[in-house]
Amino acid sequence: MAVSQLRAKIERHRPGRGVMKKSGKAAMMRMVTACGAVGFALVLAGCSAATVDEQPSIYSATMAKPIPADVYPMIEGKRPAASAQMSNEEAAAQEARLTALSSARTSGKISEAEYQRRLKELQLLAANHGTDTLKQIQN
């Protein structure tokens, strides 16, 4: 084959150059026209003048009502404690009691056995206080 024949053959088969036949171009035009018609129909359907009774949504109707302050959840304000809290006076009295126990032990006024008994009593109180309080709250 001659060079000119090869060039002509390559030119014929190059992409975008005479590859699509006339019937292919016509099919493409039909597809574009059909897509355009469907798009136009959708636009016309969106312009329909159907009336809809405007009713407030559930959300806006709920938000329009006043919400009573004594109903859970109340976000504002200080929350009450689940149980009575120790006051500053009670804390000071407890501290004085523990300090007196410690000083009585160091001075020898109470025996080691008595000190250990009182210490164990306080440790049991510390260990069980949370569960006992929880039982009181639940009942």
Side-chain angles (χ1 to χ4, degrees), residues 124-139:
L124 283 173
L125 176 67
N128 298 328
H129 177 71
T131 56
D132 292 343
T133 304
L134 183 61
K135 286 178 186 175
Q136 287 177 354
I137 292 170
Q138 289 174 343
N139 292 331

Side-chain angles (χ1 to χ4, degrees), residues 11-76:
E11 192 66 30
R12 269 196 328 254
H13 295 294
R14 198 168 83 185
R17 207 62 165 169
V19 175
M20 190 180 292
K21 297 179 182 176
K22 286 186 179 182
S23 62
K25 287 181 184 179
M28 180 65 83
M29 287 303 293
R30 281 193 303 266
M31 191 176 354
V32 167
T33 305
C35 288
V38 169
F40 185 69
L42 289 174
V43 168
L44 287 179
C47 293
S48 65
T51 59
V52 177
D53 293 336
E54 293 283 334
Q55 292 187 1
S57 68
I58 294 172
Y59 176 76
S60 62
T62 303
M63 296 307 290
K65 295 178 186 176
I67 299 173
D70 60 342
V71 177
Y72 183 80
M74 185 178 76
I75 299 172
E76 304 85 27

